DNA sequence: CGTATGACGAGCC
DNA sequence: AGGCTCGCCATAC
């Protein structure tokens, strides 16, 4: 990780989102991060929306675990089209997703700031 | 160039 | 405690 200078073969739309993708790609398996969290780690405190846009524009073959990115409320993107599949992916990684598509941030929140 | 939208966040009522 | 509005960044039209 920590190699944002290298563009993945599936990321051609990377303009200013490369930072976001780099942070999201660093999220360890079994952990989740919040939009605002990724934005902060990327250097944009109030860029939560920008992160949403970045993930939203993410190609289907992107090498970015966008499913590990959830809202600060601990719930999986309620606007996402395949949120059900997203929850399933998280479960496969060991993350316990409630039937309400909610994740225990206190338990699965990626401590990038504390772990970095 | 200005306006509108968007998978959010935090503050305010 | 709950709900609503504004603000942030970036892209699209």
């Amino acid at each position: 990780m920590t190699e944002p200078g290298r563009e993945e073969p599936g990321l051609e739309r990377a303009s200013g989102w490369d930072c976001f993708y780099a942070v999201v790609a660093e999220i360890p398996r079994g952990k989740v991060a919040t939009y605002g969290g990724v934005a902060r780690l990327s250097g944009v405190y109030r860029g939560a929306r920008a992160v949403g846009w970045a993930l939203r524009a993410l190609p289907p073959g992107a090498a970015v675990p966008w499913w590990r990115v959830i809202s600060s409320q601990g719930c999986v993107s309620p606007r996402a089209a395949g949120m059900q599949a997203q929850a399933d992916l998280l479960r496969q990684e060991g993350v316990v997703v409630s039937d309400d598509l909610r994740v225990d941030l206190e338990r699965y929140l990626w401590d990038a700031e504390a772990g970095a």
Side-chain angles (χ1 to χ4, degrees):
Chain A
M1 53 300 281
T2 66
E3 287 301 328
R6 184 189 83 286
E7 310 278 335
E8 288 298 315
L11 304 174
E12 70 281 333
R13 295 285 178 171
S15 46
W17 304 342
D18 185 63
C19 313
F20 302 125
Y21 297 144
V23 175
V24 177
E26 286 187 77
I27 302 173
R29 180 171 167 281
K31 286 277 190 172
V32 297
T34 62
Y35 290 97
V38 174
R40 287 179 72 160
L41 293 170
S42 300
V44 187
Y45 180 70
R46 300 292 198 284
R49 278 165 140 145
V51 176
W53 256 105
L55 299 178
R56 180 254 217 180
L58 219 56
V64 183
W66 60 271
W67 53 85
R68 288 179 192 156
V69 184
I70 61 180
S71 63
S72 62
Q73 296 173 45
C75 51
V76 179
S77 315
R79 282 118 166 142
M83 61 182 185
Q84 188 59 52
Q86 178 176 3
D88 187 64
L89 283 166
L90 290 171
R91 288 174 181 173
Q92 290 181 57
E93 300 192 334
V95 178
V96 178
V97 183
S98 303
D99 295 338
D100 201 28
L101 301 180
R102 276 187 23 187
V103 181
D104 193 333
L105 289 176
E106 296 299 296
R107 181 173 175 171
Y108 299 106
L109 181 61
W110 177 39
D111 303 295
E113 299 176 43

